[in-house]
Amino acid sequence: MNALVIAALLLVLLTFSYQVGWSRSRKLAGNKSQHLHSRPIYHGVLAALFAVLPAMVIIGIWALFSEQVTNSFIVAQLPPETAQLSQMQLQAAIARVKAIASGYGVVGEPSATEVVAAQVFASYQQISFLAVLAAAAAIGAGGLFWAQRRIGPRLRARTEVEIFVRIALMACSAVAIVTTLGIVLSLLSDALRFFSFINPLDFFFGTTWNPRFQSAGTGSAGEYGLLPLLWGTVMISIIAMLVAVPIGLMSAIYLSQYADERVRNVVKPIIEVLAGIPTIVYGFFALVTVGPFFAAAGDAVGIDINATSALTAGVVMGIMIIPFISSLSDDIIAQVPRAMRDGSLGLGATQSETIRNVLLPAALPGIVGAVLLAVSRAIGETMIVVLAAGNSPVLRFNPAEPTSTVTVSIVNQLTGDADFTSPQSLVAFALGLTLFAMTLLLNVMALYIVRKFREQYE
Amino acid sequence: MTDTLLSAASPGSRNREQVRKGLRRRHRSEVLFRWAGILSIVAALGFVAILFGMILSKGMPSFWQSTLHLEAYFDPELIEGGPQPQREDSNSDADYQRAYSNWQRAVTLSNWNTVVETAIRAQVPEFEIETGDLLDLVTTAARFQLRDQYFANPDVLGQTMPVSILGSANTDNWLKGTIDRSQPDARQQLAPETRQLADQFLEQGIIRFDFAGHIFTNVDSRSAPASAGLAGAFMGSLYMMMVVIVLAVPIGVASAVYLEEFAPKNRWTDLIEVNINNLAAVPSIVFGLLGAAVFINYFGLPRSAPIVGGLVLTLMTLPTIIIATRSSLRAVPPSLRQAALGLGASRNQTVFHHVLPMTFPGILTATIIGVAQALGETAPLLLIGMSAFIANIPSSPMDSATALPVQIYLWQGNENRNFFEARTSAAIIVLLGLMLMLNAIAIFLRSRLEKRA
């Protein structure tokens, strides 16, 4: 109801002020002696901006603070001992008054003070709402009055509107910066709070990961050694690259150098389907199909392979990254000048010799960049490892055994009830910061290498 | 002379021999190389085939679930609470609510299990089986189902009605063979009599495999896995996608337009560009940390709410939309801009009246691709509490909810693995189906719009 009234007010203000600006500029323009700078539509828009923006500011301020003001008003109406009640009881008392005032009523007989408070509150509600509405309308009208007085031959309405649009566009593009700032600041501040509990040296160079939960009752904070997680992350990424790079690169080479147009048009989109599948689906695939398959295969040849292990997670992650590698290397190979290829073929080299000795060395920097980008994806990947890596944060070097990663531990530490005060949940931010720094470094390196590579052939 | 001829010929033939040998080797490596390429393509295609084959073969049976078709008698001696109370003028809304909820409580506390039991026993009057074992046959939600049917229509008191009740998850496992039927009794989930009864009902046609529409209409359930559905998760995802579309598209397009058409070449612009490129590569889980620390802890938005999930996914989707919109803006021929500017249009007019409309198909595609990507994202949602068990359909973006990929995550962790492997695959089919649909719409719209333009 209230929202509807406010929306109606703003809408009325908008159309009315637009109309005023438009018709007034039209009237002036009709007077032949005067030449307006802008067309009437811009005068209308400018007037509407002048009227609606201040009104929205008023209503915004009210929306931010009305809740607190209202509650303290109700408490002031109730007997003084109410203010001493606990937070929960206070909320309940306020809710009762609100329920009576709304006419819905409460179960049982409300007390006399409550009824009085509710009556006062109901009138307060009406008055405050009307006051805000009136204030918004008045400010809007004031803005409109000012705007329509400015309308004249010298007013550059279009320029002003365009400046406003330009500022709005710029504000939108600043969202990216605000996001990065938000990420860095929130990670940093909470990580620093974590480091007030735990020595950073113990975190970055510790070899035991054992964050005891407080409910365990030992009172001690637990051990937070990053190395087991980091090693798990690195091991899984290496396995993923061992799967993804050969398959991705070879299929890109075959599709771009050997396959004819029709095969290419069919196969390429199918491989790219792999890129669109949500990672949770890969995780489930690893857990239900790939893991048991490896375990059975290991049994058959007499090797002990765990169903959830670094191997399972790594191989499935490799499958996920294949399209990433293949489409990036496809682009890069396509950028190697044709003359180099033709020269090699003309001297009698076979196609594979041309690819191995000319194309690949020329494209190598770009391919390295692509692989670095892929690695940064692999270390940031979460759902596959949550489901398939076995969640066992112990420093082990056998890929057939369960392991854990940085991302898995972030999920484990923050999925419970996060209270942001204990090292158990704050460690997630220290881990996140590590992850962010690692991926940022890889990305910057990769982008730099790829850019250098592009410049080389342009 | 003959000597010189011979000596000239013999090194030549030796050379030819060498070249021929070398050629054979080189051709062999050529063939090997080519086969390596073919093999890796076959491997990649094989992975796609295995992945989809596994999901489909596991998930499709889950859409048809064992259902009992029975006649239920709404016995007035079992169902308490009497007739439904009416609102009268004398009592307040609160009083009426209390009377109504008292009636509801009485009805709810009635012995609905006995109603269910009577209905099943009526089919096989002489079959000897204990009550507990008998009720194992149907989902524990059966009693709620009959109760809700009664709430919807209290006039059926004392009448017999045909009802269809879902079999329990264990019954479904037994009849579909997803549990090993040769296992000894001790390792079976159901008593021997229950299994026998299930087989008998299937033969008599009392149990049929009906299309499990409740997967789409029910919410998640822990106590009654057989009737667990995706409706809550679907609504949660829908709200999040709405937030993403409302926020990410205008902001993304606006910043792309600014960067591509207006921004001066300076440090500020460079900073924004570097930022956008980096954001595109930040791991999704870091956005989850941002959401937990800023939106929930700092701004105090509710945990588990789609609005927070939507905001986090918006920030994640922005770079995708910005980059794609910029590339479609770049594809607009400069002659168009020059013509507009030459005719006296301002730069704003040029961009908004002439350039931007040309890029509409590109923006649309970028939006849909971004939304599809956001739809499948799981990790950040775990950190903002969307993995909590929610048994309601959220009615607004501020309510607690879960999302489709998170529901998949929750279901794959369920203890009843035999049943939930299939159910999880079914949920994946729904999710992939939605994403496929979005992509198909994107391709269709793009081809249509581009043809017109």
Side-chain angles (χ1 to χ4, degrees):
Chain A
M1 174 59 198
N2 282 2
L4 271 183
V5 172
I6 289 170
L9 172 81
L10 289 178
L11 208 62
V12 167
L13 208 56
L14 185 79
T15 46
F16 181 68
S17 49
Y18 177 81
Q19 195 57 38
V20 168
W22 188 81
S23 53
R24 190 169 156 74
S25 61
R26 273 295 287 262
K27 208 184 282 169
L28 281 179
N31 183 356
K32 292 287 183 231
S33 64
Q34 292 191 318
H35 259 298
L36 288 190
H37 168 270
S38 309
R39 299 183 58 212
I41 182 171
Y42 288 104
H43 287 283
V45 171
L46 192 64
L49 285 175
F50 266 67
V52 172
L53 284 184
M56 278 173 80
V57 168
I58 293 279
I59 290 168
I61 291 173
W62 181 60
L64 272 182
F65 296 107
S66 69
E67 177 87 10
Q68 289 161 19
V69 175
T70 306
N71 284 357
S72 53
F73 179 84
I74 293 177
V75 174
Q77 302 308 310
L78 291 171
E81 60 267 22
T82 341
Q84 265 81 55
L85 290 173
S86 75
Q87 198 60 36
M88 289 281 267
Q89 287 166 314
L90 199 63
Q91 289 300 329
I94 292 170
R96 270 177 77 84
V97 173
K98 279 185 183 170
I100 300 169
S102 70
Y104 179 76
V106 291
V107 172
E109 201 59 32
S111 72
T113 52
E114 279 179 337
V115 174
V116 174
Q119 278 166 356
V120 179
F121 171 65
S123 57
Y124 154 82
Q125 232 179 353
Q126 272 180 350
I127 291 170
S128 68
F129 180 63
L130 287 178
V132 168
L133 220 53
I139 280 236
L144 175 60
F145 179 68
W146 188 34
Q148 67 97 21
R149 272 194 52 180
R150 291 176 70 222
I151 295 176
R154 310 193 58 176
L155 178 68
R156 297 173 178 272
R158 197 199 72 223
T159 320
E160 287 188 18
V161 170
E162 287 183 353
I163 287 173
F164 173 81
V165 170
R166 206 73 68 90
I167 291 173
L169 290 180
M170 203 161 98
C172 285
S173 67
V175 168
I177 292 187
V178 174
T179 310
T180 310
L181 264 183
I183 289 177
V184 172
L185 287 183
S186 65
L187 288 182
L188 259 183
S189 71
D190 283 318
L192 285 178
R193 272 163 72 198
F194 169 72
F195 288 134
S196 69
F197 290 98
I198 306 289
N199 187 343
L201 289 179
D202 290 345
F203 175 71
F204 285 112
F205 300 105
T207 53
T208 326
W209 176 264
N210 183 19
R212 287 184 207 96
F213 275 94
Q214 277 166 331
S215 55
T218 48
S220 76
E223 292 166 282
Y224 300 89
L226 177 67
L227 289 182
L229 307 179
L230 211 54
W231 169 244
T233 305
V234 169
M235 184 161 59
I236 290 177
S237 305
I238 291 173
I239 297 172
M241 288 306 123
L242 288 180
V243 174
V245 173
I247 295 183
L249 194 57
M250 280 312 289
S251 39
I253 289 173
Y254 188 85
L255 285 179
S256 61
Q257 305 296 322
Y258 289 105
D260 65 305
E261 196 66 21
R262 275 174 308 165
V263 176
R264 195 177 148 84
N265 286 345
V266 175
V267 172
K268 226 183 154 201
I270 295 180
I271 293 181
E272 248 138 54
V273 163
L274 284 172
I277 294 174
T279 55
I280 178 81
V281 177
Y282 281 108
F284 183 68
F285 176 62
L287 187 68
V288 173
T289 308
V290 179
F293 171 75
F294 280 149
D299 265 353
V301 295
I303 312 171
D304 199 18
I305 298 181
N306 223 300
T308 55
S309 63
L311 186 68
T312 311
V315 168
V316 174
M317 198 185 284
I319 295 175
M320 181 190 86
I321 293 176
I322 290 174
F324 192 75
I325 298 256
S326 82
S327 64
L328 272 179
S329 17
D330 202 17
D331 289 351
I332 286 159
I333 290 173
Q335 278 174 13
V336 176
R338 214 188 149 73
M340 289 176 74
R341 219 184 78 173
D342 292 346
S344 165
L345 290 173
L347 285 173
T350 64
Q351 217 161 355
S352 70
E353 284 164 348
T354 306
I355 293 165
R356 270 177 309 182
N357 300 333
V358 178
L359 274 189
L360 284 186
L364 193 65
I367 291 172
V368 170
V371 172
L372 285 183
L373 279 181
V375 171
S376 102
R377 282 197 98 186
I379 62 177
E381 172 45 46
T382 311
M383 292 324 290
I384 294 177
V385 278
V386 164
L387 294 190
N391 189 20
S392 155
V394 182
L395 202 55
R396 290 195 191 103
F397 293 90
N398 181 358
E401 283 188 68
T403 181
S404 184
T405 68
V406 176
T407 49
V408 172
S409 302
I410 294 177
V411 170
N412 285 344
Q413 297 308 114
L414 213 59
T415 303
D417 47 336
D419 52 1
F420 293 97
T421 53
S422 67
Q424 277 87 355
S425 55
L426 286 176
V427 70
F429 292 92
L431 292 171
L433 190 64
T434 317
L435 190 66
F436 183 71
M438 279 160 62
T439 50
L440 192 67
L441 194 71
L442 282 170
N443 286 326
V444 170
M445 262 163 63
L447 287 178
Y448 178 77
I449 293 175
V450 171
R451 189 173 300 168
K452 274 269 156 294
F453 167 76
R454 290 226 170 101
E455 280 164 8
Q456 194 184 332
Y457 292 115
E458 265 167 14
Chain B
M1 193 172 159
T2 46
D3 271 330
T4 48
L5 258 179
L6 270 176
S7 62
S10 69
S13 66
R14 216 180 301 141
N15 271 350
R16 223 172 292 143
E17 191 61 24
Q18 243 172 355
V19 166
R20 211 168 281 147
K21 231 188 257 169
L23 260 186
R24 220 174 292 142
R25 187 176 44 77
R26 287 168 62 199
H27 283 162
R28 212 168 31 233
S29 77
E30 169 75 30
V31 170
L32 280 179
F33 192 77
R34 199 180 278 229
W35 270 104
I38 292 176
L39 270 183
S40 49
I41 285 176
V42 168
L45 295 183
F47 290 137
V48 179
I50 294 173
L51 186 65
F52 279 93
M54 177 283 249
I55 300 284
L56 284 177
S57 67
K58 272 200 194 309
M60 286 319 279
S62 192
F63 286 107
W64 285 269
Q65 207 173 328
S66 52
T67 312
L68 284 80
H69 296 266
L70 303 168
E71 300 276 323
Y73 174 51
F74 289 88
D75 193 343
E77 302 201 346
L78 288 171
I79 301 167
E80 288 159 36
Q84 187 181 346
Q86 302 298 320
R87 169 88 162 97
E88 286 157 33
D89 294 336
S90 59
N91 48 15
S92 73
D93 272 340
D95 284 326
Y96 167 69
Q97 280 296 339
R98 180 143 85 161
Y100 185 75
S101 59
N102 280 341
W103 173 75
Q104 266 189 325
R105 193 176 311 134
V107 172
T108 304
L109 290 178
S110 310
N111 197 348
W112 288 99
N113 269 341
T114 313
V115 180
V116 176
E117 186 188 349
T118 331
I120 301 176
R121 281 199 195 279
Q123 301 294 333
V124 275
E126 67 282 0
F127 195 88
E128 280 188 24
I129 181 168
E130 279 176 39
T131 305
D133 291 342
L134 184 77
L135 287 175
D136 277 350
L137 195 64
V138 296
T139 166
T140 44
R143 54 177 193 262
F144 306 127
Q145 188 196 329
L146 290 188
R147 184 198 68 197
D148 291 343
Q149 232 165 343
Y150 177 68
F151 276 140
N153 181 14
D155 298 334
V156 296
L157 196 64
Q159 295 175 18
T160 304
M161 296 274 292
V163 293
S164 43
I165 294 174
L166 279 179
S168 70
N170 289 326
T171 311
D172 203 53
N173 283 339
W174 172 255
L175 292 176
K176 280 181 184 158
T178 39
I179 193 169
D180 188 355
R181 290 179 72 125
S182 60
Q183 295 266 7
D185 283 356
R187 307 201 50 183
Q188 291 286 357
Q189 302 287 329
L190 295 171
E193 292 87 2
T194 317
R195 274 142 45 201
Q196 196 190 334
L197 193 62
D199 286 338
Q200 189 182 331
F201 275 171
L202 187 65
E203 226 167 81
Q204 292 175 349
I206 293 170
I207 290 185
R208 294 201 289 270
F209 289 109
D210 287 0
F211 182 72
H214 65 271
I215 290 182
F216 304 103
T217 55
N218 275 13
V219 292
D220 191 14
S221 168
R222 272 189 185 162
S223 54
S227 62
L230 288 169
F234 180 80
M235 283 312 288
S237 278
L238 188 68
Y239 282 130
M240 286 198 294
M241 293 310 114
M242 273 156 56
V243 174
V244 169
I245 290 173
V246 167
L247 289 178
V249 177
I251 296 179
V253 171
S255 41
V257 166
Y258 177 74
L259 290 175
E260 200 58 39
E261 302 287 338
F262 295 117
K265 272 267 162 255
N266 59 19
R267 281 170 157 261
W268 174 250
T269 312
D270 281 349
L271 186 70
I272 296 178
E273 296 212 16
V274 170
N275 259 307
I276 289 171
N277 283 332
N278 273 325
L279 278 183
V282 168
S284 61
I285 191 153
V286 171
F287 285 98
L289 287 170
L290 173 78
V294 174
F295 294 136
I296 292 178
N297 197 30
Y298 189 71
F299 287 125
L301 287 171
R303 280 178 76 79
S304 314
I307 179 94
V308 180
L311 286 171
V312 169
L313 294 180
T314 298
L315 297 182
M316 279 186 54
T317 320
L318 265 181
T320 314
I321 294 184
I322 294 177
I323 291 171
T325 308
R326 285 186 71 176
S327 71
S328 60
L329 280 170
R330 233 172 275 145
V332 175
S335 56
L336 193 78
R337 294 183 186 87
Q338 287 153 4
L341 290 171
L343 286 175
S346 73
R347 278 178 72 191
N348 276 46
Q349 286 168 332
T350 307
V351 170
F352 287 101
H353 297 177
H354 304 287
V355 178
L356 208 51
M358 293 277 286
T359 61
F360 185 64
I363 293 173
L364 199 74
T365 320
T367 306
I368 294 178
I369 288 170
V371 166
Q373 192 188 329
L375 183 65
E377 198 54 65
T378 323
L381 302 183
L382 297 183
L383 297 190
I384 54 169
M386 296 200 73
S387 57
F389 171 76
I390 309 291
N392 292 316
I393 295 182
S395 56
S396 82
M398 302 297 276
D399 287 351
S400 289
T402 179
L404 280 174
V406 182
Q407 189 69 66
I408 293 170
Y409 172 69
L410 290 173
W411 276 357
Q412 63 78 30
N414 194 292
E415 309 86 53
N416 194 340
R417 280 296 286 276
N418 292 322
F419 185 73
F420 269 97
E421 252 180 42
R423 195 37 74 85
T424 310
S425 307
I428 290 176
I429 292 176
V430 173
L431 179 65
L432 289 182
L434 279 175
M435 295 176 74
L436 202 70
M437 218 165 70
L438 282 175
N439 282 308
I441 292 173
I443 293 169
F444 173 74
L445 283 180
R446 185 168 51 180
S447 65
R448 269 200 70 162
L449 290 170
E450 273 174 357
K451 224 174 274 166
R452 206 182 298 162

